[in-house]
Amino acid sequence: MKNNYQLLIFDWDGTLADSIGRIVQAMNVAAERAGEAPSEEAAVKGIIGLALAEAISTLYPHLEPAQVEVFRQHYADVYTALDQQPSPLFEGVLESLDAFRAEGYRLAVATGKARRGLDRVLKANGWEGFFDITRAADETRGKPHPLMLEEILAHCQVEPGQALMVGDSAFDLQMANNAGMHSVAVGYGAMSLQALAEFGPQLCIDHFSQLREWLSGSAQIQIPR
């Protein structure tokens, strides 16, 4: 390692896994089942990263808590059916994560997914024991609250300045800022690099392998403004 980072923390959907389109589809099918109008794709992308109940309430603020729960169950049913074959990892993810481990980095996941869904995709990828720790939105505070990251830091006994949060949404980068951590924005997921740059990431990338190049010091990648 040629930097001060010891711990790399990754969002899942839109950062490691190419699942954004599936999330948008599931949200709109669930909306129809709940008797609500489908949302624009951009609106759904704008809530990816939040815990599911909060995401639904943001898209449909008129819903009462009981209605949100019905909607949430519709979404869970639809997404599970769509995700029988889990969304593929983005190009370069598998090779890079293996390399990061070989280079001595600690690895973690901080996701807006529920624990049940996260465990399903970890198992599908043969990653049950791959990460040092994983945190899901239904077992802690959701993004952008920093508790998820604080729990990961405490488990790994790493200081905020020695950790890096990698994500594709404003909520990922806000969470990192709230935890006093640096972040990396990826532009191939839910939000554009131009939109993410305002949250002050250390790095903006449009291919996962660029993260490894930057950490090794072999590439200089510009942050769009």
Side-chain angles (χ1 to χ4, degrees):
M1 290 184 284
K2 297 182 180 181
N3 56 72
N4 190 48
Y5 299 118
Q6 298 179 16
L7 171 62
L8 307 179
I9 307 172
F10 301 94
D11 170 59
W12 187 272
D13 293 306
T15 299
L16 299 182
D18 187 4
S19 51
I20 300 300
R22 194 170 288 182
I23 292 171
V24 173
Q25 181 182 358
M27 187 65 74
N28 283 332
V29 172
E32 292 175 351
R33 291 186 181 182
E36 301 294 330
S39 296
E40 295 291 332
E41 179 179 355
V44 179
K45 287 183 175 181
I47 54 80
I48 292 175
L50 294 175
L52 183 53
E54 184 178 357
I56 293 167
S57 294
T58 301
L59 286 173
Y60 301 94
H62 60 280
L63 294 180
E64 298 293 332
Q67 294 173 301
V68 171
E69 176 55 27
V70 170
F71 195 126
R72 188 201 64 78
Q73 189 57 58
H74 284 313
Y75 176 90
D77 292 343
V78 173
Y79 191 85
T80 300
L82 291 173
D83 211 43
Q84 290 299 311
Q85 179 64 38
S87 299
L89 301 174
F90 284 106
E91 182 181 2
V93 166
L94 183 59
E95 300 84 353
S96 295
L97 292 184
D98 283 340
F100 291 146
R101 286 195 60 177
E103 291 161 9
Y105 290 102
R106 311 283 296 277
L107 303 180
V109 169
T111 179
K113 299 177 82 67
R115 170 52 63 182
R116 179 180 177 184
L118 178 59
D119 285 347
R120 186 181 70 250
V121 294
L122 289 173
K123 182 177 181 181
N125 285 285
W127 279 354
E128 293 97 327
F130 186 85
F131 296 95
D132 289 84
I133 180 175
T134 62
R135 299 300 287 159
D138 61 345
E139 61 191 10
T140 184
R141 293 287 298 273
K143 303 173 184 180
H145 194 282
L147 181 60
M148 191 182 298
L149 294 182
E150 291 167 352
E151 291 170 344
I152 292 172
L153 292 170
H155 175 85
C156 295
Q157 297 183 310
V158 170
E159 295 297 320
Q162 299 172 314
L164 192 65
M165 175 68 206
V166 184
D168 68 312
S169 79
F171 308 113
D172 296 321
L173 275 56
Q174 288 175 314
M175 179 175 65
N177 288 341
N178 292 339
M181 286 174 47
H182 288 163
S183 64
V184 169
V186 304
Y188 49 76
M191 296 184 67
S192 70
L193 291 181
Q194 287 71 25
L196 294 172
E198 68 177 271
F199 299 100
Q202 295 296 105
L203 173 72
C204 289
I205 60 175
D206 53 24
H207 192 282
F208 194 84
S209 63
Q210 292 174 309
L211 175 61
R212 186 181 176 201
E213 295 170 6
W214 181 73
L215 287 170
S216 70
S218 64
Q220 296 295 321
I221 305 170
Q222 295 299 314
I223 296 178
R225 298 299 183 188

